[in-house]
Amino acid sequence: MKESTIRLIQYFTALLIFILIGFHLGIFTQFLGPGYSAGLDYLSVLERMKNAFYDTIYLILLFSLLTHGFIGIRNIMFEIFLTSSIRRIITLALIIVYIFFLLYGALPIFYGVEECITCV
Amino acid sequence: MAWRNVSHVSRVIFMKKDSKIITFKIKRWDPGKGDWRISTYTVTIRKGMTILDALVHIKETIDHTLSYRASCRMGICGSCGMTINGKPRLACETQILELKSNTISIEPLKNFDLIKDLATDFSLFFEKQTKIRPYLIRSDEDEYWNPSREYKQTPTERLLYEQFSNCITCGLCYAACPTNATNINYLGPQALMNTYRFIADSRDEGTLERIELVDAVDGIWGCHLSGACSDVCPKGVDPALAIQLLRGLVAAKALRRIKHKKATGVVPPSEAKRRKGIPEPPPFNV
Amino acid sequence: MADRKRYRFKDNLWGIWGWYGNLKFNLERYLYLIHRLTGVGLVLFLLLHIIVTSSRMYGEAAWIETESIIQNPLYDLGMLLVIGALIFHGLNGIRLILLEYGLLIGKPTQPIYPYKPTLKRRTPRLLIILMMLIGTVFFLIALYEFLLVWGVLS
């Protein structure tokens, strides 16, 4: 992939994150949502996870955050390590970690034990 | 007689007020041992003396073995860049009393190869400079090599690159850049600025080729807008501005928003009549 | 081409210390410094956050257990720091996007002494002030929320 394409992805995900993270943090304030402690209740979390709208937002957020972050880490690594073979190894390692966390982060959005002990 | 005495007294007062004893700590590279050593010199400084004046004084009267590179002593040649009190500066343009410290540390210019003491090797720097093709690229080869007329350019078009053509290749931006601090392959502010200088030139047609050259991790994307290059530039060239404008062009090309630039055409030289009484020039002898 | 073996760059490079150690430059260089530090910190937090929130998969018991581990003032303080870093990184990133494509950075001019780089002119500096003001407002909202959690405010 061309370097300019990678950087454009970096900037577009940045703008996406800026909007979505505002939403993500907004629901943990008194002004826009249930608040920090109440928002972390299992019932509240379950309610959000059943909502397709929230699921989509979390999925896009997860994807763009990981992409943005790992491109950033790659750039810092490339400034420290200059040899092309080491750079290739770094890219490969970062891609593996990236895919692992993408899958591991996406799992709880789609799948999970739905029983609720304290639910009324 | 009385007048001369007064003059003498006033000169003493002048000396007391405007001279200062300053210690220079010079970090020197020893190429034989391959190691650093620090030499300390004490020099009496008068008002108006630059770091380069002090270095000349040290070399002439204290230590003849001190090596440094300097030429024009007026900020034109760009040879005497060194790290003075932790910041890259031109030795010939830095007033000692303006630094306002009694000990001044001098080191060779950072991020450059070392030769001896304060002298640094610019060969990689100039290699990068040639890599970006710092000359006009044109499709009309015949006209380029055997010019019959002159290239057209308005003052407004000239203003687009005039600032960037003032570069004296002193390498201060290169030493200040945080990306160059680890990555010696990074093209550096100077080469990228020069790329934009030729792209912005209305007589040039090599925009797309040059964008291809700089579109890499070690090219334009190594810049993170820390602005240190523009901060240290002694000629007001502002490489940070040029790099950002160039980045806009590279991004535009990635989004397919840029087309091949057609250079301005040629015009015959303007007619001028010789005034009466002014003799004809001698014939060309070269 | 010069002989590459002759190069003594290792002895004269500023190195990683050069990103952070030299504190004699302009304001933007420190913003760059903090931007990079917060960026690395946020990626590490993101990975931690993914691991912590994935406990939802294993049912409510696991979720409550994780909650009991992370619900202490120290973790909350860390969370506040992360939010601060996030606000800085985000707003500074917006500033960088606006400047890096030549949108607000200005035009080349004739260099007349004393030289003033474009980054030190009015628009980019106003952008920094604006960024800091908006960031402060966001951070105060987050602080208010955490003061409610800690029971300082009610």
Side-chain angles (χ1 to χ4, degrees), chain A residues 56-115:
Chain A
T56 324
I57 280 186
Y58 280 131
L59 212 60
I60 299 171
L61 192 57
L62 176 77
F63 170 74
S64 40
L65 273 173
L66 278 171
T67 314
H68 187 88
F70 274 80
I71 290 176
I73 295 285
R74 166 187 169 274
N75 292 336
I76 295 174
M77 290 298 218
F78 275 21
E79 272 172 29
I80 300 169
F81 302 101
L82 310 181
T83 333
S84 56
S85 56
I86 297 177
R87 280 182 173 185
R88 223 169 291 141
I89 294 168
I90 287 170
T91 315
L92 200 69
L94 284 179
I95 286 175
I96 290 168
V97 177
Y98 170 79
I99 290 174
F100 171 76
F101 274 97
L102 196 62
L103 293 177
Y104 194 64
L107 266 180
I109 296 175
F110 292 118
Y111 162 81
V113 183
E114 300 281 318
E115 306 95 66

Side-chain angles (χ1 to χ4, degrees), chain B residues 64 223 269:
Chain B
H64 308 307
C223 175

Side-chain angles (χ1 to χ4, degrees), chain B residues 153-168 193-203 233 235-239 241-242 245, chain C residues 107-113 115 121:
Chain B
Q153 190 164 59
T154 61
T156 330
E157 285 170 341
R158 190 175 180 278
L159 197 63
L160 290 177
Y161 72 87
E162 187 194 352
Q163 182 178 17
F164 309 128
S165 62
N166 283 358
C167 177
I168 56 170
M193 180 277 301
N194 223 4
T195 317
Y196 183 73
R197 177 245 174 276
F198 280 96
I199 286 177
D201 197 324
S202 63
R203 298 166 294 178
C233 184
K235 302 306 272 184
V237 171
D238 209 347
L241 170 66
L245 294 173
Chain C
K107 282 177 187 169
T109 47
Q110 271 182 326
I112 297 164
Y113 195 83
Y115 311 120
R121 286 192 204 140

Side-chain angles (χ1 to χ4, degrees), chain A residues 11 30 40 108 117-118, chain C residues 36 56 60 63 100-101 145:
Chain A
Y11 289 114
Q30 302 290 319
L40 284 178
I117 310 159
T118 49
Chain C
R36 180 159 282 200
R56 191 202 80 87
E60 193 183 6
W63 179 261
E100 278 189 350
Y101 290 110
E145 194 58 44

Side-chain angles (χ1 to χ4, degrees), chain B residues 26-226:
Chain B
I26 302 185
K27 199 178 174 191
R28 303 165 69 180
W29 173 253
D30 191 335
K33 287 181 191 164
D35 203 5
W36 297 100
R37 63 197 162 116
I38 292 173
S39 303
T40 314
Y41 308 102
T42 315
V43 183
T44 312
I45 298 298
R46 273 174 288 105
K47 190 182 174 186
M49 270 177 85
T50 60
I51 296 281
L52 184 59
D53 291 333
L55 286 176
V56 171
H57 180 80
I58 290 168
K59 191 172 174 75
E60 281 180 352
T61 60
I62 305 173
D63 186 354
H64 308 307
T65 62
L66 180 69
S67 299
Y68 57 86
R69 183 172 52 225
S71 179
C72 74
R73 50 109 189 86
M74 54 195 249
I76 295 294
C77 69
S79 311
C80 61
M82 39 192 85
T83 315
I84 296 162
N85 275 0
K87 197 172 174 178
R89 299 175 221 249
L90 285 185
C92 62
E93 293 217 317
T94 309
Q95 291 285 329
I96 295 170
L97 293 180
E98 275 180 14
L99 289 174
K100 291 192 175 73
S101 62
N102 289 329
T103 29
I104 291 174
S105 73
I106 304 181
E107 289 174 40
L109 209 52
K110 287 277 181 185
N111 307 342
F112 280 96
D113 189 23
L114 297 154
I115 298 173
K116 183 178 179 283
D117 290 357
L118 296 173
T120 43
D121 186 353
F122 271 51
S123 46
L124 193 65
F125 180 79
F126 288 125
E127 227 173 79
K128 287 171 187 168
Q129 158 91 330
T130 47
K131 204 186 266 180
I132 55 113
R133 307 180 71 185
Y135 43 82
L136 294 180
I137 298 173
R138 289 186 67 95
S139 50
D140 49 350
E141 290 261 321
D142 287 348
E143 182 64 31
Y144 187 74
W145 293 109
N146 306 302
S148 62
R149 290 163 293 175
E150 56 191 29
Y151 295 140
K152 197 170 127 190
Q153 190 164 59
T154 61
T156 330
E157 285 170 341
R158 190 175 180 278
L159 197 63
L160 290 177
Y161 72 87
E162 187 194 352
Q163 182 178 17
F164 309 128
S165 62
N166 283 358
C167 177
I168 56 170
T169 58
C170 59
L172 296 195
C173 51
Y174 198 87
C177 180
T179 308
N180 276 126
T182 50
N183 187 351
I184 58 166
N185 295 334
Y186 175 49
L187 274 177
Q190 195 274 336
L192 291 169
M193 180 277 301
N194 223 4
T195 317
Y196 183 73
R197 177 245 174 276
F198 280 96
I199 286 177
D201 197 324
S202 63
R203 298 166 294 178
D204 181 75
E205 285 181 346
T207 307
L208 297 179
E209 294 168 44
R210 292 209 175 86
I211 286 177
E212 283 293 315
L213 279 174
V214 298
D215 187 4
V217 188
D218 297 330
I220 184 92
W221 302 108
C223 175
H224 300 289
L225 194 52
S226 80

